[in-house]
Amino acid sequence: MTDQNLWKYCTREQSNEMLLSLGLLEGTGVKPEAALACLYAVSNHTGRHYRTAQIQKRGGGVRRLLVPDALLNKIQRNLLHHVLDGLPVSTYATAYRKRMSVVDNAAPHVGQALILKLDIKEFFENITFLMVYQSAFPAVYFPPAVRKLLAELCCYEDYLPQGAPTSPAVSNLVMKPFDEYMGSWCGERGICYTRYCDDLTFSGSFDWREVKHKVAGYLRVLGFELNEKKTRILKPHVRQTVTGIVVNDRLQTARSYRRQVRSEVYYCTKYGVEAHLRHLGNKGESYGDSRDVMHYLQHLLGKVHFILQASPEDEEFRRAKEEIERLMKEQE
């Protein structure tokens, strides 16, 4: 039986029963008798349930996010946990997966002769409603009416919004055919491939122009294009970094990053966190909420955890972790 005929005799009532069985309104306070009306009302006007927010990018510039309101956020989180988390994604996709991190994305590329890094331009904005409908909610699992409503709940003005809790998981499902094809194509040529969101990494001994041409062509068919400005070709004599992790000989964070974190921990322990933050403020640096001692320490602990993800046996930063945790306890 084809996907088109699978739900041929599925009635509207049965589709509605399936929708209710997904528990999309758990924790919202919406009464059971109003559940269907609420879901349809929200799905028909998702644009009313978003606000725009901006965050600073690490490398400069601003990233625009679309943040759902409390009701849509709860619906999307239920959709994520009750539906999307159960759908398989490609093993080549390393972002937005439980118990996986940037270290898992970088590890396969350690000690390679050549690393090619490519970036997909405007990744989330180019994932359309139709792509979400077809890839995130396949016909083998959902009747058309259910697929349509679920896809609408994930989209904003017919594209995938960066900032919705469902968007990362949906993006992995949309990219699964690309990941599987490129992974197989690369495997036949002895090339290692991983994808972390919109960052594509290839390593081994290969003609980088051929790989880039292959990737660009397939992405174009899917409706994406490469961000040419972010293409990087890294040879062994330069520092090879993959999603922030140095991979030339072994996994480790950049020396400059470790030096900066080491310095922050030192000044916090020697002079106190408040004095250190005042010193930073005197330099004219803006920290916003990070002037709060606990917030700053949490942020610093996150940096140490990042270093330890790559180098878990690093005794210096294991001691730094313990020291920060001691300082945090003093603030409780």
Side-chain angles (χ1 to χ4, degrees):
M1 183 179 291
T2 65
D3 288 346
Q4 287 76 15
N5 295 326
L6 190 62
W7 301 100
K8 183 177 179 180
Y9 301 106
C10 180
T11 65
R12 181 180 178 85
E13 288 73 23
Q14 289 170 330
S15 291
N16 287 340
E17 286 179 15
M18 177 182 278
L19 275 174
L20 293 175
S21 73
L22 299 178
L24 300 181
L25 289 167
E26 286 182 7
T28 63
V30 175
K31 296 180 180 179
E33 60 270 22
L36 278 175
C38 177
L39 288 174
Y40 279 105
V42 173
S43 67
N44 288 333
H45 304 284
T46 52
R48 300 176 183 175
H49 294 268
Y50 284 96
R51 64 178 176 83
T52 302
Q54 293 184 338
I55 59 172
Q56 294 291 325
K57 293 182 181 179
R58 261 187 203 175
V62 174
R63 176 175 285 110
R64 177 175 174 267
L65 300 180
L66 287 162
V67 182
D69 64 14
L71 175 60
L72 181 55
N73 183 284
K74 191 64 177 177
I75 292 172
Q76 289 175 336
R77 290 195 179 279
N78 287 331
L79 177 52
L80 174 65
H81 298 311
H82 299 173
V83 180
L84 296 173
D85 280 350
L87 298 175
V89 300
S90 173
T91 56
Y92 300 102
T94 57
Y96 316 128
R97 294 177 60 188
K98 292 179 181 177
R99 295 178 292 279
M100 294 197 76
S101 69
V102 292
V103 174
D104 298 286
N105 185 66
H109 305 288
V110 172
Q112 298 282 12
L114 178 72
I115 292 177
L116 169 66
K117 302 201 301 185
L118 303 174
D119 181 88
I120 302 175
K121 187 176 182 181
E122 296 177 351
F123 179 57
F124 286 97
E125 292 86 343
N126 282 304
I127 297 178
T128 65
F129 171 84
L130 182 59
M131 295 161 76
V132 175
Y133 177 86
Q134 292 176 335
S135 300
F137 307 107
V140 69
Y141 298 131
F142 306 99
V146 175
R147 297 174 74 194
K148 181 175 181 293
L149 185 141
L150 296 180
E152 286 170 342
L153 289 173
C154 292
C155 291
Y156 171 86
E157 294 184 355
D158 293 329
Y159 70 89
L160 197 63
Q162 188 172 7
T166 43
S167 292
V170 169
S171 71
N172 275 344
L173 292 166
V174 168
M175 292 298 291
K176 184 179 179 181
F178 174 87
D179 290 333
E180 293 298 310
Y181 176 80
M182 286 308 308
S184 176
W185 186 86
C186 288
E188 292 171 359
R189 292 157 178 80
I191 304 169
C192 180
Y193 162 66
T194 61
R195 180 181 61 82
Y196 194 90
C197 187
D198 53 0
D199 292 326
L200 315 177
T201 306
F202 304 84
S203 65
S205 299
F206 57 94
D207 181 347
W208 67 266
R209 294 175 185 83
E210 179 190 13
V211 174
K212 183 181 177 183
H213 178 74
K214 188 72 176 179
V215 171
Y218 193 9
L219 286 177
R220 202 175 298 116
V221 170
L222 296 175
F224 298 102
E225 63 178 301
L226 289 176
N227 186 341
E228 296 289 347
K229 294 180 180 178
K230 292 190 176 182
T231 297
R232 299 288 184 272
I233 301 99
L234 307 175
K235 297 181 180 180
H237 64 274
V238 302
R239 189 176 71 182
Q240 296 174 321
T241 60
V242 176
T243 46
I245 306 291
V246 179
V247 297
N248 289 71
D249 303 308
R250 58 190 172 91
L251 291 172
Q252 61 179 350
T253 48
R255 187 177 303 168
S256 58
Y257 186 84
R258 297 198 305 276
R259 187 186 307 120
Q260 175 208 334
V261 175
R262 185 183 298 116
S263 174
E264 290 187 67
V265 174
Y266 171 78
Y267 285 117
C268 284
T269 54
K270 183 172 178 63
Y271 300 108
V273 184
E274 292 181 358
H276 175 53
L277 289 176
R278 283 196 299 272
H279 176 69
L280 293 177
N282 290 336
K283 288 184 176 182
E285 298 185 34
S286 176
Y287 283 84
D289 290 342
S290 67
R291 287 183 178 279
D292 173 79
V293 171
M294 183 60 79
H295 181 90
Y296 174 79
L297 288 173
Q298 290 170 342
H299 184 63
L300 184 57
L301 184 61
K303 292 181 179 180
V304 172
H305 279 156
F306 178 59
I307 293 171
L308 290 174
Q309 275 187 316
S311 308
E313 303 305 319
D314 191 311
E315 288 295 334
E316 178 187 9
F317 284 99
R318 288 171 72 171
R319 290 194 298 271
K321 174 178 175 290
E322 293 172 358
E323 187 61 28
I324 296 169
E325 289 172 343
R326 181 187 65 78
L327 292 171
M328 292 173 70
K329 283 184 179 179
E330 290 180 357
Q331 299 298 319
E332 293 176 352

